[in-house]
Amino acid sequence: MITGAASGFGRALAERCAARGMRVVLLDVDGDRAATEAAALAAANGVEALGLRVDVADGASVDEAAATVGERFGLAHLVISNVGVQLFASIDRATDDEWRWLLDVNVVGSARVARAVLDPASRMSMYQASKFAVWGLAETLRVELAGDGIGVSVIFPSGMLSRHLETSEAAQPAHVRRPIAGDGDFAAMHESNPTMAQFLATPEEAAAGVIDAVLGDHRYVVTHGEFREALATRERELRIAATEAAKENR
């Protein structure tokens, strides 16, 4: 299953999958084009291919597509959330409605696809996705504001002994209100990331070096030094991926 697969990168990925003999489902808001491209893939590669209209901003649309795939093919063994929309604007011109539309498609849309086909275990997908979005925003602001002499730092805190859960529950609007966690949520979170619970800090400990680092225009500020190995692992894996890409592009 590939979203945004009627053209561009999604279509190219679908071609690669079909060439490997995979059965392919092309999902796209342009359902007619998705169906046409699916037929072309099937004819060229001798595989089953299906094109469906899916709007990832509409949960019912995503759920219906997942059900159709289940009925037709059974389990989806590979799911690629590729769909994304673009809208250019400087930070001072982007409206709230523009932010909501773009994030609803690009971030929440990917979450809808994941929800429709599986059940992730860590229970922190909403929070983590929101924080990665803030990271991306900060990186862009750093570039946009550099010419004005304004620095932007990304602060990476981790587990703290604070009122975060209490205040989050209190802040819920009426249409969202529910207990902050359900049965098994905390246990699943700790199981997926035991280090976070092992190295809890007080807010005062976490804040100790932050202001000096921000005033020093550090691009990144990490509050918990115990996570050096986790950061190193991600760096190594990114370097490996970049090296492999360089080989492919030669």
Side-chain angles (χ1 to χ4, degrees):
M1 291 175 60
I2 304 174
T3 64
S7 62
F9 189 50
R11 175 60 174 80
L13 291 171
E15 180 71 49
R16 292 277 181 163
C17 291
R20 289 173 173 263
M22 297 183 189
R23 296 176 295 182
V24 185
V25 181
L26 285 70
L27 307 176
D28 202 281
V29 71
D30 187 344
D32 291 339
R33 181 161 184 159
T36 299
E37 295 298 333
L41 279 179
N45 296 278
V47 299
E48 290 185 79
L50 177 65
L52 297 174
R53 184 190 183 279
V54 172
D55 180 0
V56 298
D58 177 4
S61 173
V62 175
D63 290 343
E64 182 179 347
T68 300
V69 172
E71 293 167 2
R72 174 84 174 263
F73 298 121
L75 291 175
H77 296 95
L78 175 64
V79 179
I80 301 176
S81 285
N82 162 72
V83 70
V85 292
Q86 178 62 275
L87 193 62
F88 293 99
S90 59
I91 190 67
D92 57 311
R93 291 195 301 113
T95 68
D96 285 0
D97 284 341
E98 290 170 344
W99 273 101
R100 291 188 187 99
W101 170 69
L102 194 141
L103 291 174
D104 192 40
V105 173
N106 293 2
V107 181
V108 184
S110 291
R112 291 187 183 102
V113 172
R115 182 181 62 198
V117 298
L118 51 78
D119 181 20
S122 75
R123 316 296 171 93
M124 290 186 65
S125 56
M126 289 186 287
Y127 182 78
Q128 298 285 43
S130 71
K131 290 304 183 181
F132 270 87
V134 173
W135 184 358
L137 171 62
E139 294 279 14
T140 304
L141 286 176
R142 187 175 177 90
V143 173
E144 287 189 1
L145 300 176
D148 297 319
I150 299 173
V152 178
S153 302
V154 186
I155 302 168
F156 295 88
S158 189
M160 276 184 266
L161 299 167
S162 72
R163 296 179 59 241
H164 174 58
L165 300 183
E166 177 187 343
T167 56
S168 294
E169 185 164 349
Q172 291 175 2
H175 68 281
V176 172
R177 188 160 304 283
R178 65 168 175 82
I180 199 74
D183 292 343
D185 284 345
F186 287 127
M189 178 187 67
H190 289 154
E191 184 178 350
S192 68
N193 189 2
T195 308
M196 180 166 56
Q198 182 181 354
F199 295 113
L200 290 174
T202 66
E204 291 73 23
E205 289 168 339
V210 169
I211 301 303
D212 285 342
V214 171
L215 293 177
D217 196 27
H218 292 199
R219 187 169 191 159
Y220 305 124
V221 184
V222 177
T223 64
H224 289 51
E226 293 83 2
F227 294 98
R228 290 190 301 273
E229 183 53 38
L231 295 173
T233 297
R234 284 164 174 75
E235 180 186 12
R236 284 195 299 270
E237 292 177 354
L238 281 169
R239 287 184 181 277
I240 290 170
T243 299
E244 292 299 319
K247 293 177 182 177
E248 291 286 338
N249 295 334
R250 284 180 184 149

